[in-house]
């Protein structure tokens, strides 16, 4: 694949994940309600899923 | 006929627009509470992992490089989990000094593990640097 397209692919990943994280924190600050257990579990699950994928590649 | 260049320009403009919107709405966010900081760090690990995965899938990283990143990220994730557990224990109504001490021991063990990992990585980098220099 073209390097520019790969770079855009990476940018889109960072953008979508980053926006989700930043908006959650921003919302938490704005409302004064701390991160809920559900939100925390959700990001931890996403993290573990990615780490598991990397582990499978790493062998 | 739609050319590759036109598609590229369209996608780039879309990303630029999305980024402008994102920057205008999210640029000044700083995690304030410990939970927000834990959430942000978990998100950071996830984002780095996803980027690594994407680059590997597109043939830009080798399996060995992915392994290197995985080791670093999994150590960071482990330490973050221990730190989170310590935070939750210290804020729990059932917390005891012995529970906190146990968690501190675990965090110390994780720090030692990370130190060992960094030392190994540094030695590995130094060796590859020397071998490259020798050639």
């Amino acid at each position: 694949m073209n390097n520019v397209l790969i770079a855009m692919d990476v940018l889109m990943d960072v953008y979508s994940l980053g926006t989700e994280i930043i908006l959650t924190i921003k919302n938490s600050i704005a409302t004064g309600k701390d991160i809920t257990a559900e939100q925390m579990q959700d990001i931890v699950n996403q993290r573990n899923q990615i780490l598991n994928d990397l582990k499978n590649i790493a062998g | 006929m739609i050319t590759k260049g036109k598609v590229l320009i369209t996608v780039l403009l879309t990303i630029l627009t999305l980024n402008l919107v994102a920057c205008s709405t999210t640029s000044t966010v700083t995690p304030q509470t410990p939970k927000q900081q834990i959430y942000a760090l978990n998100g950071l690990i996830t984002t780095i992992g996803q980027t690594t995965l994407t680059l590997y899938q597109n043939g830009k990283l080798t399996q060995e490089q992915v392994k290197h990143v995985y080791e670093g990220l999994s150590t960071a994730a482990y330490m973050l989990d221990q730190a989170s557990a310590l935070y939750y224990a210290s804020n729990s109504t059932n917390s005891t000094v012995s529970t906190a001490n146990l968690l501190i021991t675990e965090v110390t063990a994780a720090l030692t593990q990370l130190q060992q990992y960094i030392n190994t990585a540094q030695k590995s980098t130094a060796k590859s640097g020397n071998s490259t220099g020798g050639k």
Side-chain angles (χ1 to χ4, degrees), chain B residues 79-99:
Chain B
M79 288 189 61
L80 184 57
D81 286 343
Q82 297 303 318
S84 308
L86 183 60
Y87 168 72
Y88 286 119
S90 68
N91 282 277
S92 164
T93 49
N94 297 322
S95 71
T96 61
V97 174
S98 62
T99 308

Side-chain angles (χ1 to χ4, degrees), chain A residues 3 13 26 28 34 47, chain B residues 25 33 36 42 54 60 63:
Chain A
N3 280 348
D13 286 341
K26 189 180 181 184
S28 171
D34 214 343
R47 184 200 77 184
Chain B
T25 56
T33 67
Q36 287 168 357
N42 272 317
T54 305
K60 292 293 170 189
Q63 188 187 8

